[in-house]
Amino acid sequence: MSDSVLVNQVLIVNINSQEKTYSNSQGQFIINANLGDELRFVKEGYERKILKIINTDEVVINLIKLVTEIEEVEVKKKLSGNLDEDSKLFNENKKKIALNNDIKVYFKTKSSGELMKPKPGEFVQPESSGITFGEIKNKWKLPDLVEWLRENLTDDYFISFGIGLPEINSFIYYSLQSFNTMTILKYGYCTEEDVGNLKLHFETSFKKFG
């Protein structure tokens, strides 16, 4: 539960036995556990929670929702109602439009042949069909991406799914088979959007893994 809202598809992992299950649409779950075992609760958008079993009673788990940061929004200046002040905004826009139009005209106008002729003593680059550089190599290979993921997401992230430490590499390679890594490998860099998409992909892949 979270703020009295039933949460489904919460991953529950018995850290001791590595048994795992998911909560149903009513937020309920059943998992085998012994006294002293620790259960880990994982759900995207919520703080992780660990519960140690100290008795055989039913328990209610409260998950805390993570705060979602709102992207910065640009607020444009509104009209004030003062004719003198508001007219300055329109005049400024007109100047920008006029300047852009002048630039477009400049680039559209063809230079005359006389103007383009080299002056005496100037070097003229001979025309050629160009230079072929061959295929551009990727900055990363797949093992580089796997190493980056383990270092930046940390092994604890993958263990929270219920994956054993020796299985982490196998799981990542398995998941990346169905993920488009072309741009990441080409530039050798993961954007925040890439990381978010990878996390969602890992959640989906985990259900099929093993």
Side-chain angles (χ1 to χ4, degrees), residues 27-185:
Q28 300 170 336
F29 67 93
I30 297 176
I31 191 169
N32 295 317
N34 298 315
L35 293 177
D37 284 358
E38 289 187 343
L39 303 182
R40 178 172 291 175
F41 299 81
V42 182
K43 175 70 175 178
E44 187 76 21
Y46 293 84
E47 291 185 7
R48 297 178 190 172
K49 190 176 184 69
I50 295 180
L51 172 70
K52 188 169 185 177
I53 304 300
I54 58 175
N55 55 50
T56 57
D57 298 337
E58 291 187 358
V59 293
V60 176
I61 308 299
N62 291 308
L63 299 181
I64 300 174
K65 200 163 188 177
L66 294 173
V67 177
T68 304
E69 293 185 3
I70 301 175
E71 294 184 2
E72 182 180 350
V73 178
E74 180 182 357
V75 179
K76 296 185 179 293
K77 190 171 182 180
K78 295 182 179 180
L79 297 178
S80 64
N82 185 310
L83 186 59
D84 291 335
E85 292 295 326
D86 294 340
S87 62
K88 292 178 182 178
L89 296 175
F90 288 106
N91 289 336
E92 182 180 353
N93 290 333
K94 287 180 180 178
K95 290 178 182 178
K96 290 180 180 178
I97 293 171
L99 177 60
N100 290 335
N101 288 338
D102 289 343
I103 293 174
K104 290 177 183 176
V105 171
Y106 173 78
F107 282 110
K108 286 182 179 178
T109 303
K110 293 184 178 179
S111 299
S112 65
E114 286 296 322
L115 185 62
M116 297 301 294
K117 284 183 179 180
K119 295 178 182 179
E122 286 186 339
F123 170 76
V124 179
Q125 174 68 39
E127 293 184 4
S128 67
S129 58
I131 302 173
T132 302
F133 290 96
E135 184 180 356
I136 299 176
K137 294 183 178 179
N138 291 338
K139 290 189 176 181
W140 272 0
K141 294 182 179 179
L142 199 57
D144 298 319
L145 175 56
V146 173
E147 182 180 350
W148 188 93
L149 288 168
R150 291 193 66 168
E151 181 179 346
N152 287 270
L153 295 183
T154 74
D155 288 347
D156 284 342
Y157 169 78
F158 296 100
I159 292 172
S160 71
F161 285 125
I163 300 171
L165 192 63
E167 298 178 300
I168 293 177
N169 269 12
S170 298
F171 170 71
I172 297 176
Y173 278 110
Y174 167 80
S175 299
L176 294 180
Q177 288 177 359
S178 53
F179 188 86
N180 187 358
T181 59
M182 185 183 300
T183 302
I184 296 175
L185 297 181

